[in-house]
C-alpha cells in the first residue's frame, strides 16, 4: 500500500545529497538542509495516504534541517506533524521548546512555526503523521501548549499509537487501497486520545490556562459529542437540537463549543458525512452500490443536496470522484503486484544496495 518511495542509492555518491535537497525543496514544506555526509549521503523516504492523513518515513545519516519564516511564507500546508523516532537521536527546537528525541518518542510540531532539527549522533529513522487541524477536536491554543514537547511512545496510549504505526509500515503489503481511509481513522482516533491525555495531564498539574479544569471538562464533552454524532451520522434527524438534547445541554451552548473548534455544528456533521461517503465511493467492494444509496446511508436524504454538498467540498461531482478513485486503486494494485513479483524474484540476493523502506534499520 506504500504509494511513494524515494531511494537514491543508484545516484553517484557525490550527487546524492544535492538530489535529496532538491527533492525536499520541491515539497510543500521546504526547508534548508545540510549534512556532514554530503559526499556519500544514503537516505530513503516513503509515504502513504490514509484518506486525509499522510504517514511517511525517513532514514537519514547526519542531517541539519531548518524551516525558517521565509520558508513558511513561501509554502505552508498548515498541518500538524506528529513525529515518531524509531532509532537514533535528534535535537529539536520548535515553538520555544528545545527537545532531544530518542527511540519510541513522539513530538508534535506545526508547519506554520519555525523548526530546527539536528541529527548528529548517527543514523536516525523516523515516521511522521501529517494531519489537518480540522481532524483534531482541540482549539489551536491547546495544541500550542504541546508543540515541541517530548511525548512517550513507550507506555500507555503513546505505545498503542507507536505500535500501530510501526506495524502498518512493516506489513504495508497486507492492506488494500480501500483500507487506507479506515486506517487513517484509527490513527486519528489514537492521536486524539494521546493529545487529550497529555492536555488533561496539564490541567491536573495546574499548567496552561487559568481555568484548566473547565477547559478539560469542555474538551471531554466535545469528544463525547463528536463520538455520539459519528455513531449517528446515518440518521437524517441528527441535528444540533437532537445532539444537545442527548447531552442535556442547550443548543446555544453546543454552538459555542463548536465555535471554539473553528466550525459550526452543521458544517462539522456535513464534513463527517462527506468523508464517509468518499470512503465508500472509493471502495471497490461497493462499486456496484448506487451513489444515492451511499449518500442515504450517511444521512443525505436527497440526492441533489448530496451532489451539491459533495461538489462544493471536493470540486468534482461524486460520480467523477468514484470513477477516478477506483481507477487509481486498480493502478495501485497493479503496481503492488508488480512490486511483490519483483521482491520474490530478488529473494536470496545478498548485499543489495536497495532496501524496502518498510523495514527501516
Amino acid at each position: 500500500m506504500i504509494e511513494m518511495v524515494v531511494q537514491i542509492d543508484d545516484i553517484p555518491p557525490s550527487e546524492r545529497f544535492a538530489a535529496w535537497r532538491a527533492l525536499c525543496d520541491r515539497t510543500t514544506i521546504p526547508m534548508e538542509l545540510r549534512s556532514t555526509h554530503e559526499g556519500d549521503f544514503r537516505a530513503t523516504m516513503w509515504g502513504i495516504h490514509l484518506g486525509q492523513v499522510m504517514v511517511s518515513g525517513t532514514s537519514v545519516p547526519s542531517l541539519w534541517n531548518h524551516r525558517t519564516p521565509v520558508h513558511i511564507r513561501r509554502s505552508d500546508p498548515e498541518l500538524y506533524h506528529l513525529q515518531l523516532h524509531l532509532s537514533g537521536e535528534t535535537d529539536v527546537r520548535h515553538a520555544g521548546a528545545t527537545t532531544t528525541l530518542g527511540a519510541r518518542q513522539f513530538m508534535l510540531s506545526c508547519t506554520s512555526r519555525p523548526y530546527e532539527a539536528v541529527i548528529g549522533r548517527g543514523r536516525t529513522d523516523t515516521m511522521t503523521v501529517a494531519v489537518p487541524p480540522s481532524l483534531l477536536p482541540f482549539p489551536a491554543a491547546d495544541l500550542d501548549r504541546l508543540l515541541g514537547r517530548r511525548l512517550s511512545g513507550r507506555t500507555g496510549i503513546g505505545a498503542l499509537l507507536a505500535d500501530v504505526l510501526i506495524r502498518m509500515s512493516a506489513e504495508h503489503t497486507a492492506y488494500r487501497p480501500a483500507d487506507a481511509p479506515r486506517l487513517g481513522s484509527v490513527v486519528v482516533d489514537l492521536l486524539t486520545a494521546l493529545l487529550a491525555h497529555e492536555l488533561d495531564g496539564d490541567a491536573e498539574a495546574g499548567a496552561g490556562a487559568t481555568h484548566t479544569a473547565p477547559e478539560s471538562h469542555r474538551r471531554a464533552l466535545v469528544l463525547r459529542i463528536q463520538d455520539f454524532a459519528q455513531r449517528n451520522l446515518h440518521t437524517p434527524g441528527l441535528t444540533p437540537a437532537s445532539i444537545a438534547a442527548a447531552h442535556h445541554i442547550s443548543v446555544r451552548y453546543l454552538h459555542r463549543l463548536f465555535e471554539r473548534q473553528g466550525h459550526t455544528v452543521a458544517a462539522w456533521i456535513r464534513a463527517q458525512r462527506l468523508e464517509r461517503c468518499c470512503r465508500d465511493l472509493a471502495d471497490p467492494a461497493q462499486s456496484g452500490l448506487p451513489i444515492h444509496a451511499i449518500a442515504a446511508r450517511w444521512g443525505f436524504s436527497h440526492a441533489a443536496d448530496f451532489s451539491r454538498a459533495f461538489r462544493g467540498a471536493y470540486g468534482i461531482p461524486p460520480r467523477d470522484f468514484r470513477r477516478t478513485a477506483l481507477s487509481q486503486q486498480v493502478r495501485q494494485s497493479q503496481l503492488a503486484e508488480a512490486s511483490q513479483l519483483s521482491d520474490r524474484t530478488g529473494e536470496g540476493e545478498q548485499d543489495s544496495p536497495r532496501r524496502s523502506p518498510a523495514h527501516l534499520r
Side-chain angles (χ1 to χ4, degrees), residues 139 215 218-219 221-222 225 240 244 249-265:
E215 281 296 323
R218 278 193 287 269
R219 187 162 53 249
L221 178 58
V222 169
I225 289 171
I249 60 176
S250 68
V251 174
R252 182 179 179 182
Y253 183 57
L254 175 67
H255 284 304
R256 286 212 309 271
L257 288 174
F258 273 72
E259 284 172 2
R260 293 171 64 85
Q261 311 302 315
H263 39 244
T264 66
V265 181

Side-chain angles (χ1 to χ4, degrees), residues 1-2 48 50 163-180 183 332-333 336 340:
M1 196 177 64
I2 286 183
I48 315 172
L50 304 176
D163 288 344
V164 167
L165 293 172
I166 292 169
R167 188 160 186 173
M168 187 186 304
S169 72
E171 301 179 354
H172 67 95
T173 57
Y175 306 114
R176 299 184 178 91
D179 294 326
L183 292 172
Q332 289 173 9
S333 296
Q340 290 175 12

Side-chain angles (χ1 to χ4, degrees), residues 63 68 76 222 274 302 320 325-326 350:
L63 189 67
T68 67
D76 181 18
V222 169
L274 289 171
H302 303 289
D320 293 349
L326 292 176
Q350 301 295 319

Side-chain angles (χ1 to χ4, degrees), residues 100-122:
T100 297
L101 299 175
R104 288 186 72 100
Q105 291 180 330
F106 290 106
M107 191 197 79
L108 185 70
S109 63
C110 175
T111 62
S112 303
R113 301 283 195 96
Y115 174 94
E116 182 179 10
V118 179
I119 301 171
R121 296 184 288 278

Side-chain angles (χ1 to χ4, degrees), residues 242-318:
S242 68
I243 293 173
H247 292 82
H248 309 290
I249 60 176
S250 68
V251 174
R252 182 179 179 182
Y253 183 57
L254 175 67
H255 284 304
R256 286 212 309 271
L257 288 174
F258 273 72
E259 284 172 2
R260 293 171 64 85
Q261 311 302 315
H263 39 244
T264 66
V265 181
W268 184 86
I269 292 173
R270 183 171 60 252
Q272 295 297 310
R273 284 172 165 162
L274 289 171
E275 182 181 339
R276 280 14 176 235
C277 290
C278 275
R279 182 189 66 192
D280 291 352
L281 289 170
D283 186 353
Q286 302 185 53
S287 60
L289 193 64
I291 291 176
H292 68 82
I294 290 176
R297 172 194 291 167
W298 293 111
F300 289 99
S301 302
H302 303 289
D305 292 343
F306 167 67
S307 294
R308 281 195 298 272
F310 193 97
R311 186 162 193 163
Y314 300 107
I316 59 173

